[in-house]
Amino acid sequence: MIEFERTEEKLTLSQIETIEKMVDLKFPDKYKNHLLNYNGGKCAPNIFSFLENGKISTSSIDWFLAIYNGKYDNLKKYIETYKIDKKRLPNHIVPIAHDAGGNLICISCKGDDAGSIYFWDHENEIDYTVSGDGDYSNLYFVAKSFNEFVDGLKESSV
């Protein structure tokens, strides 16, 4: 079972809805429930795997993003940086966590893959003002839903 520590203050649904309005998207219910229960933080276990160019890769969650007024791991600031200041993610993809290397764990909030979790590789960044929202060449599928993602987290074998 996953455990969270160093989370931020409890949220209200209206605080989440404010962020949803900011990006003009509705977060999947399973992710909203996570925000209401934990609001960011570190988790254990935290290792996940995904298929990258035909090979299994792994990464780890450093921090889940939180809705709060703090400087670090702030969901609103990540949305501003990756979606508003510069279009570094498709419109329907929202960052929810990051690894230690600056890559993002994201959730799809619309379309056929709504609720799916992706690993965003910052080494292969795409200009979405040019390529369009259907370009997933630097997004790697991790799980079909937030709960599947969290339930599949593993402990480090090192």
Coordinates of all heavy atoms in Angstrom, one line a residue, residues 48 65 78 82 89 95-99 102-106 118-122:
F48 N 8.1 3.4 -10.9 CA 7.2 2.9 -12.0 C 8.0 2.6 -13.3 O 9.1 3.1 -13.4 CB 6.1 4.0 -12.2 CG 6.6 5.3 -12.8 CD1 6.6 5.6 -14.1 CD2 7.0 6.3 -11.9 CE1 7.1 6.8 -14.6 CE2 7.5 7.5 -12.3 CZ 7.5 7.8 -13.7
L65 N 2.7 17.0 -7.2 CA 2.4 18.4 -7.1 C 1.2 18.7 -6.2 O 0.3 17.9 -6.1 CB 2.2 19.0 -8.5 CG 3.4 18.7 -9.5 CD1 3.0 19.2 -10.9 CD2 4.7 19.3 -9.0
Y78 N 3.5 24.9 -12.0 CA 3.9 23.9 -13.1 C 3.0 24.1 -14.3 O 3.5 24.1 -15.4 CB 3.9 22.5 -12.6 CG 5.2 22.0 -12.0 CD1 5.6 22.5 -10.8 CD2 6.0 21.1 -12.7 CE1 6.8 22.0 -10.2 CE2 7.2 20.7 -12.2 CZ 7.6 21.1 -11.0 OH 8.8 20.7 -10.5
Y82 N 4.6 25.0 -17.9 CA 4.5 24.0 -19.0 C 3.3 24.1 -19.9 O 3.3 23.5 -21.0 CB 4.5 22.6 -18.4 CG 5.8 22.3 -17.7 CD1 6.1 22.5 -16.4 CD2 6.9 21.7 -18.5 CE1 7.3 22.2 -15.8 CE2 8.1 21.5 -17.9 CZ 8.3 21.7 -16.6 OH 9.5 21.5 -16.0
L89 N 3.3 21.0 -23.4 CA 2.5 19.8 -23.3 C 1.2 20.0 -24.1 O 0.8 21.1 -24.3 CB 2.0 19.6 -21.8 CG 3.1 19.3 -20.8 CD1 2.5 19.5 -19.4 CD2 3.6 17.9 -21.0
P95 N 0.5 18.2 -15.8 CA 1.5 17.6 -14.9 C 0.9 17.3 -13.5 O 0.2 18.1 -13.0 CB 2.6 18.6 -14.8 CG 2.0 19.9 -15.1 CD 0.8 19.6 -16.1
I96 N 1.3 16.2 -12.9 CA 0.8 15.9 -11.6 C 1.9 15.5 -10.6 O 1.7 15.5 -9.4 CB -0.2 14.7 -11.6 CG1 0.4 13.4 -12.1 CG2 -1.5 15.1 -12.4 CD1 -0.5 12.2 -11.9
A97 N 3.1 15.3 -11.2 CA 4.3 14.9 -10.3 C 5.5 15.1 -11.2 O 5.4 15.3 -12.4 CB 4.1 13.5 -9.8
H98 N 6.7 14.9 -10.5 CA 7.9 15.0 -11.3 C 8.9 14.0 -10.7 O 8.8 13.6 -9.5 CB 8.5 16.4 -11.3 CG 8.9 16.9 -10.0 ND1 10.1 16.6 -9.3 CD2 8.3 17.8 -9.2 CE1 10.1 17.2 -8.2 NE2 9.1 18.0 -8.0
D99 N 9.9 13.6 -11.5 CA 11.0 12.8 -11.0 C 12.2 13.7 -10.6 O 12.1 14.9 -10.8 CB 11.4 11.7 -12.0 CG 12.1 12.1 -13.3 OD1 12.4 13.3 -13.4 OD2 12.3 11.3 -14.2
G102 N 13.8 16.1 -13.5 CA 13.1 17.2 -14.2 C 12.1 16.7 -15.2 O 11.5 17.5 -16.0
N103 N 11.8 15.4 -15.3 CA 10.8 14.9 -16.1 C 9.5 14.9 -15.4 O 9.5 15.0 -14.1 CB 11.1 13.4 -16.5 CG 12.4 13.3 -17.3 OD1 12.6 13.9 -18.3 ND2 13.4 12.6 -16.7
L104 N 8.4 14.9 -16.1 CA 7.1 15.0 -15.5 C 6.3 13.7 -15.6 O 6.4 12.9 -16.5 CB 6.2 16.1 -16.2 CG 6.8 17.5 -16.2 CD1 6.0 18.4 -17.0 CD2 7.0 18.0 -14.7
I105 N 5.4 13.5 -14.6 CA 4.4 12.5 -14.7 C 3.1 13.3 -14.9 O 2.8 14.2 -14.2 CB 4.3 11.6 -13.4 CG1 5.6 10.8 -13.2 CG2 3.1 10.7 -13.5 CD1 6.7 11.5 -12.5
C106 N 2.3 12.9 -16.0 CA 1.2 13.7 -16.4 C 0.0 12.9 -16.5 O 0.0 11.6 -16.6 CB 1.5 14.3 -17.8 SG 3.0 15.4 -17.8
Y118 N 1.0 9.5 -18.2 CA 2.2 9.5 -19.1 C 3.4 10.0 -18.4 O 3.4 10.8 -17.5 CB 1.9 10.4 -20.3 CG 0.8 9.8 -21.2 CD1 -0.5 10.2 -21.0 CD2 1.1 8.9 -22.2 CE1 -1.5 9.7 -21.8 CE2 0.1 8.4 -23.0 CZ -1.2 8.8 -22.8 OH -2.2 8.3 -23.6
F119 N 4.6 9.5 -18.9 CA 5.9 10.0 -18.5 C 6.3 11.0 -19.6 O 6.3 10.6 -20.7 CB 6.9 8.9 -18.3 CG 8.3 9.3 -18.0 CD1 8.6 9.6 -16.7 CD2 9.2 9.4 -19.0 CE1 9.9 10.0 -16.4 CE2 10.5 9.8 -18.7 CZ 10.9 10.1 -17.4
W120 N 6.6 12.2 -19.2 CA 7.0 13.3 -20.2 C 8.6 13.4 -20.0 O 9.1 13.7 -19.0 CB 6.3 14.6 -19.8 CG 6.7 15.8 -20.7 CD1 6.2 16.1 -21.9 CD2 7.6 16.8 -20.3 NE1 6.8 17.3 -22.3 CE2 7.7 17.7 -21.4 CE3 8.5 17.1 -19.2 CZ2 8.5 18.8 -21.4 CZ3 9.2 18.2 -19.2 CH2 9.2 19.1 -20.3
D121 N 9.2 13.2 -21.2 CA 10.7 13.3 -21.2 C 11.2 14.6 -21.6 O 11.0 15.0 -22.8 CB 11.2 12.2 -22.2 CG 12.7 12.1 -22.3 OD1 13.4 12.9 -21.6 OD2 13.2 11.2 -23.0
H122 N 11.8 15.4 -20.7 CA 12.2 16.7 -21.0 C 13.4 16.8 -22.0 O 13.7 17.8 -22.6 CB 12.5 17.5 -19.7 CG 13.9 17.2 -19.1 ND1 14.1 16.0 -18.4 CD2 15.1 17.8 -19.2 CE1 15.3 16.0 -18.0 NE2 16.0 17.1 -18.5

